[in-house]
Amino acid sequence: MMFVLDQHQKPLMPCTEKRARLLLERGRAVVHRQFPFTIRLKDRTADTSAFQDLRLKLDPGRKTTGVAMILDSTKGPKAIFFGEIGHKPGIQSRLDDRRTHRRGCWHRHTRYRAARFDNRQRRTGWLPPSVKARVDQTLRAVAKFRKLAPITDLSVEHVKFDTQKMQNPEISGIEYQQGTLLGYEIREYLLEKWDRRCAYCDAEDVEFQVEHVHPKDLGGSDRVSNLALACPACNISKNNQSLAEFLARDAGRRRRAAQHAKAYAGKDPHKPKDRACWETSRLERIQRQMKAPLKGAAAPTLGSPRRGMNATRWRLDDQLQATGLPVEGGSGARTKMQRIAHTFPKEHYYDALCVGASTPESFAAPPAYVQAWSAKGHGNRQMCGTHQYGFPIRHRSRRRQHFGFQTGDLVVARVPHGKYAGGWTERVSARASGSFDMTAGGQRVAQGISYRHCLILQPRWMAL
Ligand SMILES: [Zn+2]
């Protein structure tokens, strides 16, 4: 599907590729932008046009946010757009780097200055920079979509599991809940509660099984508070032993736990000591965690990489409400159930398509391609490059634009002769010398192309 604007740049209903091509051929429309491809009709206004319901759905992720658009046409619901927003990686480590550099500098130059590091305050509504970047990027994408298509509803995955549905934590039975929405909610809840690792040996990234901590043979119940996550090995070897017995006796479990502790220590060399006491306190930790209340039940973690996703989801939901469009929230458990029911593969855009209770039973043929975009940042502010010993060898001007081009602009170049002769449609790296490089997917594909051969197709600020 192609996006369509009216003659005053107001969004109209998207149209098919074929229709867009015919409109362009007949001169009724012009190309408004390249990515995502949008045309502008020359003879139509929004107030004389008919509209249908268009729902934008979002599945926020840590690295990637899935986007899907559903058109509620007279012929039934139709998925018309798939997209993926790649979030900027490494924000935290870059800020850590900067902090280290500045601290070193302060230390070298202002040794006698009084300490000021406590004179700081966080504004209300402060978010960690990595979370804020994620939220801002997604909101910006939504705002841009609203300029391209007449979006009437929004859906967003705002929780991993729905505590409302599990209001009574004593609801029972994974056995007969498998496959139902409640079963999925319980599973997501357990994943969160036990921090996506085996409760007994800290195994990660395995096919988890739901396990009765107090075995059923010894009178243990099916209640959620008696359930934990276990890796297959622990589940089998625990069998019908009580918790204390299993933790004390099973050599295999101890070996696995030690292995995982080692792997963990490799990730975080400062904390092997923490890890040792992590193991000795396991019994009481598991017992305490079993009794943890439904809300805020997340397990105590050791350097979990999944931090910040709840904050992202909540803030996003909050800010989307502020757009004034009706916002539907959905749980991750529901998304997963619906995706599996539709037999869609595990992709961010299919997840987005399955967010929320409004997801229809069936769709018309999904779009043929996925629009992917990612944050490119605002470039480098380093004014001087150094050689390996730190001596400055090259300098940059403060200007970002050279000969009317800026790094990141999409250009079309017709190179008459030389090694790179031919036509190029790529992103440009603008240089003060006027001899530019072409990049595709972060790789340089051509270099030394004169600005005289280039023409801007879409400036970088117009990218989604
Ligand atoms: Zn295990």
Side-chain angles (χ1 to χ4, degrees), residues 261-301:
K262 216 184 227 168
Y264 174 81
K267 272 187 241 167
D268 192 348
H270 302 298
K271 300 258 175 94
K273 245 189 230 148
D274 287 6
R275 201 63 194 192
C277 90
W278 189 246
E279 179 58 34
T280 45
S281 67
R282 190 178 295 273
L283 177 63
E284 42 187 293
R285 219 157 18 84
I286 293 178
Q287 281 165 342
R288 200 175 339 117
Q289 190 59 19
M290 281 169 71
K291 291 191 203 112
L294 200 57
K295 273 187 185 152
T301 60

Side-chain angles (χ1 to χ4, degrees), residues 198 201 203 231 234 256:
C198 173
C201 74
C231 66
C234 285
R256 281 194 298 279

Side-chain angles (χ1 to χ4, degrees), residues 187 190-191 194 197-203 206-212 227-236 238 246:
R187 216 185 139 78
L190 289 174
L191 284 170
W194 297 98
R197 58 181 84 200
C198 173
Y200 308 121
C201 74
D202 299 328
V206 293
E207 191 88 0
F208 288 116
Q209 295 171 352
V210 176
E211 219 268 340
H212 293 79
L227 301 177
L229 283 190
C231 66
C234 285
N235 197 6
I236 290 169
K238 181 164 179 290
F246 173 62

Side-chain angles (χ1 to χ4, degrees), residues 161 163-164 167 189 292-298:
F161 54 89
T163 40
Q164 295 273 300
Q167 205 43 267
Y189 164 68
L294 200 57
K295 273 187 185 152

